[in-house]
Amino acid sequence: MFDFDPDRQNPPNSRRFFLASAAAAVAGLALWQWGKPRVLAAAPKAKDDPKEVTIVQFSDSGQRLKKERIAKVVKSEEEWRKQLPAGVFDITRNADTEIAYTGKYWNLHEKGIYRCICCDNALFDSATKFESGTGWPSFWAPIAAENVTESRDLTLGMMRTAVSCTECDAHLGHVFDDGPEPTHLRYCMNSASLRFVAHT
Ligand SMILES: [Zn+2]
């Protein structure tokens, strides 16, 4: 029978050996975690999110109204499927990407604001829209930082920053750091995630 008594039986350097083993185990664990596919969903599950969010309300004419705390829009997959056309569902709820030059807003130059197709949250103003040459509507800033949420997206073997609607978690697109002045950011959006409201 194994009689374990560290004070009596272990050699003098056993503690050092134990610590070295523990360090190796920790390093191994870290490597194991590093090796795991760490996919951060662009549209996180609603149950993990806060029930309330802070957003800035805007009028259809683009006027900033007020910052307020509101209940987050949470719907089941079935409810979203009923509300949205299939392609829009795939993009907004499953982080799909529309084919370049096929969306309705990449070449739109009218003045207005762009709201979330899912919940109407104000997202972008035409004043920050620019010609990116990508075939997707591109902006150098959101209408209010609070209204969009950025998260790390490691899908497709790339490290990108996904952008979603703060109010309903709709996937909108990605943001890159190769945009124009003054922010040098390029919010590369899916037309399908947006609803344009022309200034009246
Ligand atoms: Zn939304």
Side-chain angles (χ1 to χ4, degrees):
M1 190 171 148
F2 182 66
D3 179 21
F4 183 73
D5 181 349
D7 291 335
R8 182 166 55 83
Q9 294 193 337
N10 286 2
N13 65 345
S14 66
R15 179 162 171 80
R16 186 177 299 167
F17 173 76
F18 170 76
L19 288 175
S21 301
V26 169
L29 182 64
L31 281 172
W32 176 74
Q33 286 183 333
W34 179 256
K36 274 200 309 181
R38 291 157 64 223
V39 177
L40 179 63
K45 295 265 184 298
K47 63 180 179 183
D48 300 331
D49 293 338
K51 289 189 172 68
E52 286 191 344
V53 288
T54 300
I55 62 153
V56 182
Q57 302 281 11
F58 285 82
S59 70
D60 278 351
S61 59
Q63 188 190 358
R64 189 182 171 108
L65 299 175
K66 58 180 175 180
K67 187 190 288 192
E68 62 180 355
R69 197 98 178 125
I70 60 164
K72 192 159 188 167
V73 174
V74 178
K75 295 184 182 181
S76 68
E77 179 180 331
E78 192 182 1
E79 288 172 314
W80 285 124
R81 282 192 186 279
K82 273 185 198 161
Q83 177 182 330
L84 306 167
V88 175
F89 175 87
D90 289 342
I91 290 168
T92 57
R93 312 318 309 183
N94 280 338
D96 199 2
T97 299
E98 71 192 11
I99 297 167
Y101 300 102
T102 64
K104 51 185 174 179
Y105 298 139
W106 69 271
N107 201 25
L108 183 73
H109 299 285
E110 280 184 58
K111 286 185 178 169
I113 67 167
Y114 293 81
R115 292 187 179 278
C116 176
I117 192 75
C118 294
C119 76
D120 251 14
N121 182 24
L123 299 171
F124 295 95
D125 192 300
S126 60
T128 66
K129 195 171 187 287
F130 68 97
E131 210 50 68
S132 65
T134 61
W136 290 288
S138 303
F139 307 83
W140 48 258
I143 199 164
E146 294 87 345
N147 291 16
V148 299
T149 299
E150 298 178 8
S151 58
R152 194 159 56 149
D153 175 10
L154 299 177
T155 59
L156 304 180
M158 293 182 275
M159 188 182 290
R160 295 179 294 173
T161 302
V163 181
S164 59
C165 170
T166 300
E167 190 172 333
C168 78
D169 281 339
H171 174 71
L172 306 173
H174 291 87
V175 59
F176 303 92
D177 59 5
D178 57 5
E181 298 272 1
T183 62
H184 300 287
L185 296 173
R186 172 170 60 93
Y187 285 82
C188 184
M189 301 291 105
N190 291 288
S191 298
S193 301
L194 307 173
R195 182 175 70 84
F196 179 71
V197 183
H199 285 342
T200 48

